[in-house]
Amino acid sequence: MSLQLALSAALSGLRATQQQAALVSHNITNATTAGFVRKDLAVSTAISGGRGQGVRVDGVLRSVDEFLIRDARFEQSRYSAQETRASALADYATALGQPQDERSVSTALAKLQQSFSQLRNQADNEAARTAVVDSAESLVRRLHDTAAAAITVQNDAKARLRSSVDEVNRSLVRIGELNSAIATQKAKGAETGDLMDERDRLLDQVSNEIGIRTHTRETGEVVVMTRNGQTLLDRELPAGAQPLQFIDGDLLAGGKIISGNPDQDIQSGRIMGYVQTAHQDMPRALAQLDELAAGIIQQFEAAESEPGTTGLFVMAPGSGGPASRIAVNGDIRSNPWKVQSGVRAGAPLAPGDTTQIDRFLNAFSVTRSFGDPDLPSTATLGDYATGMVSTQQGYRTTAESEMKTRKISADALQSARLNRDGVNVDDEMQKLLLIEQSYGASAQVLQAAGRMLDTLLQIRN
């Protein structure tokens, strides 16, 4: 080997180890940075004229498992959807209570029935009559409060949905900018690893909000679609662009409404959880409450001695369904004796006459038809109320159980992704030791070559 070749090889080794040291230091510095992917320097033997010329740096490697990333994002997205929905159902279930809780609708209805039973044993007792009116008022308040809780959860989901859509749109605009930067840098042969890391972090955030599919072009640009194939990003977007739109309560992607069938068109992400809460879970809860309130009003109307007249409960003016508008008849509030004689009675019945009280009590034992598919088609008011509360608690329990299952799967895949693509500080420190040894060896070659040149020059002189 000539001295020139030795010097060239040693210098190439020094340059390579210098770049390796910088890259390993960069890895260690970003070991705890979310979404950072470990970088490695690609080197090979430089050959010219059939002879080795030292080390050639081929570039920076950012090796990731795209299939693992895809699976990890999807499982995390499914967990986010289930966590969002479970949280909303838990909020409503807390307000609704268990069947035996004091605050539950079923308990309030049972107490009204109990008040009538006590009144039957002392029909001319003023305190017993007042107790019936108080129980009726308590039932009304309970229905109002429970309906208000469902509406609050629904409105909160809608507000969070809007915020989530805005966040996705901002992220997609930034991803489009990164796409252009990556394509430009790649065309120049420049390093794009850190740009790709930032883009992947944003894609992770987007997939947390809504289920996505991605495709990477040869230029390095990534195309983003919803799970059902609606394109969200295929070119750089202008500032303020809205690939996702929220119009009149509907969520649109690519001009198609995707909130009508979230299981099929969205499939995962917090947005799916918000849509399910706002469009399915809370409307169902309100429909069940409205069926119960309407049943209460109708049963007590039918219990009156004059059918077709208003009963113990009426619908107050205003907006909303029966559960939000049910009220105790004003005649009853001002004339408690009518809980013994009936709302349309012109005068109190004779002391001890329980004819109308028996009709009211019968309203609790008569079965009627209900239209909710998750509850019995025919039931008494009390059974329907208890079943409604139990069913809603069942929705919450099922959602929380599925959330825990999704969490285990998501955590396992995230851990696998981190172990493969993340930075192991111990491994990087060992690399630094090897780099130090390599650097020292190249330096010794330079020193030896320098001494040899000095000796040759001395001989020539």
Side-chain angles (χ1 to χ4, degrees):
M1 178 183 290
S2 67
L3 284 178
Q4 183 179 0
L5 185 59
L7 286 169
S8 176
L11 283 171
S12 69
L14 286 175
R15 293 192 191 97
T17 52
Q18 182 182 33
Q19 292 182 52
Q20 285 179 322
L23 193 59
V24 170
S25 298
H26 184 58
N27 286 342
I28 293 174
T29 301
N30 288 279
T32 58
T33 301
F36 181 82
V37 174
R38 183 186 67 257
K39 313 295 189 304
D40 294 306
L41 197 68
V43 296
S44 61
T45 302
I47 297 178
S48 178
R51 301 178 64 184
Q53 300 290 324
V55 177
R56 180 178 64 233
V57 176
D58 297 321
V60 176
L61 293 178
R62 180 184 181 272
S63 178
V64 296
D65 187 335
E66 294 292 347
F67 293 105
L68 178 58
I69 291 175
R70 179 199 64 189
D71 292 343
R73 280 179 183 156
F74 183 50
E75 285 303 319
Q76 181 64 31
S77 186
R78 292 210 291 179
Y79 164 69
S80 296
Q82 203 58 38
E83 180 191 34
T84 299
R85 181 168 179 259
S87 177
L89 287 173
D91 288 343
Y92 175 64
T94 299
L96 182 65
Q98 296 287 351
Q100 70 277 9
D101 289 348
E102 284 291 319
R103 67 178 179 275
S104 74
V105 174
S106 57
T107 298
L109 187 61
K111 284 187 173 181
L112 177 61
Q113 183 178 9
Q114 184 181 9
S115 296
F116 271 115
S117 296
Q118 292 173 347
L119 177 62
R120 190 182 187 283
N121 297 327
Q122 41 188 336
D124 56 347
N125 187 298
E126 188 66 28
R129 294 169 181 170
T130 303
V132 170
V133 177
D134 290 343
S135 295
E137 293 279 13
S138 179
L139 174 60
V140 165
R141 285 195 300 272
R142 193 62 242 151
L143 284 166
H144 288 176
D145 291 346
T146 307
I151 292 171
T152 297
V153 172
Q154 184 181 38
N155 289 339
D156 181 67
K158 290 179 180 179
R160 292 175 183 270
L161 174 58
R162 289 182 183 277
S163 297
S164 185
V165 167
D166 291 342
E167 179 65 29
V168 169
N169 287 335
R170 284 192 294 269
S171 295
L172 289 172
V173 170
R174 177 57 182 157
I175 290 170
E177 294 171 352
L178 290 169
N179 270 345
S180 297
I182 289 169
T184 301
Q185 292 293 93
K186 188 174 181 179
K188 294 178 180 178
E191 199 273 318
T192 60
D194 288 344
L195 292 174
M196 289 183 174
D197 286 352
E198 183 182 352
R199 186 176 68 183
D200 274 356
R201 282 195 293 271
L202 290 170
L203 287 170
D204 289 344
Q205 292 174 14
V206 171
S207 70
N208 264 337
E209 303 301 323
I210 186 170
I212 59 172
R213 301 179 188 272
T214 60
H215 166 69
T216 305
R217 295 173 174 153
E218 291 183 2
T219 56
E221 297 170 295
V222 68
V223 177
V224 184
M225 299 169 288
T226 63
R227 296 291 302 177
N228 75 330
Q230 299 299 315
T231 301
L232 297 175
L233 172 71
D234 63 356
R235 63 185 183 280
E236 187 171 354
L237 299 171
Q242 294 182 322
L244 280 180
Q245 294 179 301
F246 193 65
I247 302 174
D248 296 330
D250 290 318
L251 183 66
L252 288 78
K256 176 186 176 182
I257 295 176
I258 61 175
S259 53
N261 185 11
D263 291 340
Q264 180 64 37
D265 291 335
I266 303 177
Q267 299 186 22
S268 60
R270 291 191 184 97
I271 285 177
M272 178 179 175
Y274 296 140
V275 169
Q276 286 178 317
T277 299
H279 288 246
Q280 295 178 356
D281 295 331
M282 291 306 103
R284 178 178 57 193
L286 285 167
Q288 291 175 355
L289 284 168
D290 285 342
E291 282 224 41
L292 177 60
I296 291 171
I297 293 171
Q298 293 164 11
Q299 289 289 87
F300 280 92
E301 283 179 353
E304 289 291 328
S305 58
E306 298 180 32
T309 62
T310 55
L312 177 60
F313 298 95
V314 295
M315 284 277 284
S319 60
S324 299
R325 296 168 54 197
I326 187 173
V328 174
N329 194 312
D331 286 346
I332 294 291
R333 284 202 298 266
S334 57
N335 301 291
W337 56 266
K338 290 192 174 185
V339 297
Q340 177 210 2
S341 305
V343 176
R344 290 303 177 188
L349 295 177
D353 188 337
T354 63
T355 305
Q356 183 58 50
I357 296 175
D358 289 337
R359 293 174 67 91
F360 284 144
L361 282 170
N362 188 57
F364 292 97
S365 58
V366 172
T367 59
R368 61 176 286 113
S369 297
F370 293 96
D372 192 283
D374 293 341
L375 292 168
S377 58
T378 58
T380 64
L381 292 175
D383 288 343
Y384 183 85
T386 300
M388 179 192 70
V389 175
S390 298
T391 298
Q392 286 292 336
Q393 293 292 345
Y395 296 151
R396 174 190 61 81
T397 301
T398 300
E400 289 179 348
S401 177
E402 187 172 348
M403 176 191 70
K404 292 175 183 177
T405 301
R406 297 291 183 212
K407 176 66 172 173
I408 293 171
S409 179
D411 284 349
L413 285 169
Q414 287 291 90
S415 178
R417 180 183 176 184
L418 180 62
N419 290 337
R420 186 195 182 284
D421 301 334
V423 177
N424 184 311
V425 175
D426 291 338
D427 290 345
E428 298 301 307
M429 293 301 294
Q430 288 189 8
K431 286 181 184 179
L432 278 179
L433 293 176
L434 294 175
I435 290 169
E436 181 184 8
Q437 294 175 5
S438 178
Y439 190 92
S442 296
Q444 287 181 5
V445 171
L446 283 176
Q447 290 174 356
R451 288 193 297 270
M452 292 174 67
L453 281 173
D454 290 342
T455 301
L456 288 174
L457 288 173
Q458 290 175 1
I459 292 173
R460 183 177 179 180
N461 293 331

